[in-house]
Amino acid sequence: MPKSKRNRVVPLSRVTKKGPGEKKERQVKNIHKYLKQYKYCYAFTYKNMTNIAMNSLKEYFNDSIFMIGKNHVMQVGLGKNEEEESKEGSSKLNKYLKGNCGLFFTDKEPDDIISYFKEYSSPYFGNVGSISNQTLILKRGFDEHLADFPSSMESQFRQLGMNIKVDDGKFCLLDDYVVCQEGKALTPDQSKMCKHLGINLDEFKIYIKAYLGNNGQFKEVEAEDN
């Protein structure tokens, strides 16, 4: 007699979630591995990081590794003292792992890396909550800031709080529109509008603070180089 489908037990696959402890342990192991794999380890700080800019850097340095995580975990990976350090002198980098910071593992020479990041910057248009360094108010009427936008953007502009209409294919503001105000935090709508208008409130910048070579060579980067 055939078995009833109602009584059939269907095994459910289990997905074991990795806890925070496992992630930390994996990051520490990766630091140990990268210290052996790459010629240099650079400690850096940064300001105004964005995913787009960071991903662009990762693509440019596709033969290297950027690591950004909890500072304490990175310090453990390097070794909190000389007895625990992952390789000779690695614990010396710990004092630079404060605030917004990270590690950069690469075979590229210090002169090239320091010079590159001294010149490098990427526009930062401001995320929600960023403090604006300028005031921009679009004036009622045919404001020049909207002159190059296609009329198909009308619904998007309305969603951002603009009182607007299209007149002869051009945008006409029925009221003044505040894009940003100096000293005030950006709202979600203001942040999106800053990106639409290409308003650069600041820059994404990385500062190399010190580096360690695989031969134990350690050097702090001078303040003027930052």
Side-chain angles (χ1 to χ4, degrees), residues 16-226:
T16 304
K17 294 184 178 180
K18 295 183 178 180
E22 290 184 59
K23 293 179 181 179
K24 292 177 182 178
E25 184 178 349
R26 185 170 65 252
Q27 190 172 34
V28 168
K29 289 181 179 179
N30 284 338
I31 290 175
H32 294 172
K33 179 178 71 174
Y34 298 146
L35 284 170
K36 296 177 181 178
Q37 179 178 345
Y38 292 94
K39 191 174 179 180
Y40 296 101
C41 176
Y42 297 83
F44 65 87
T45 59
Y46 62 87
K47 69 171 185 176
N48 300 325
M49 180 175 288
T50 64
N51 288 334
I52 293 176
M54 195 66 224
N55 288 337
S56 178
L57 275 179
K58 289 179 180 178
E59 289 181 10
Y60 182 78
F61 292 103
N62 57 14
D63 56 353
S64 306
I65 296 290
F66 285 94
M67 179 174 286
I68 297 172
K70 291 188 178 297
N71 298 350
H72 172 72
V73 177
M74 290 190 289
Q75 289 172 354
V76 171
L78 292 173
K80 284 195 159 187
N81 54 56
E82 292 183 2
E83 294 179 358
E84 299 173 341
E85 60 190 17
S86 303
K87 71 176 181 181
E88 184 181 355
S90 62
S91 62
K92 294 179 181 178
L93 293 174
N94 277 336
K95 73 174 186 177
Y96 306 100
L97 299 179
K98 298 178 181 178
N100 295 325
C101 62
L103 296 172
F104 178 48
F105 302 89
T106 184
D107 291 327
K108 300 186 184 301
E109 296 298 320
D111 287 347
D112 295 332
I113 293 300
I114 293 170
S115 176
Y116 178 85
F117 283 107
K118 185 178 180 181
E119 300 297 326
Y120 172 84
S121 67
S122 179
Y124 178 73
F125 301 108
N127 294 324
V128 177
S130 297
I131 304 301
S132 176
N133 62 358
Q134 59 182 282
T135 295
L136 176 60
I137 300 176
L138 306 186
K139 296 298 183 180
R140 178 179 177 180
F142 296 95
D143 191 285
E144 61 180 6
H145 290 89
L146 303 177
D148 295 329
F149 287 95
S151 57
S152 58
M153 292 282 292
E154 182 181 6
S155 61
Q156 293 186 49
F157 287 156
R158 288 187 181 278
Q159 290 175 2
L160 295 179
M162 281 189 177
N163 187 7
I164 201 169
K165 70 175 183 178
V166 177
D167 188 351
D168 194 23
K170 297 181 180 180
F171 287 114
C172 179
L173 280 168
L174 304 180
D175 298 297
D176 290 351
Y177 180 83
V178 178
V179 178
C180 55
Q181 288 181 285
E182 185 175 0
K184 292 189 176 183
L186 295 180
T187 66
D189 288 348
Q190 289 175 329
S191 175
K192 291 178 182 178
M193 197 62 204
C194 282
K195 290 179 175 66
H196 282 312
L197 296 175
I199 298 173
N200 183 8
L201 297 180
D202 203 341
E203 63 181 1
F204 162 50
K205 188 78 177 169
I206 281 181
Y207 304 94
I208 302 296
K209 309 302 290 186
Y211 65 86
L212 176 74
N214 57 6
N215 59 355
Q217 174 194 10
F218 170 81
K219 186 175 180 180
E220 183 176 43
V221 179
E222 298 294 331
E224 55 265 29
D225 292 334
N226 285 329

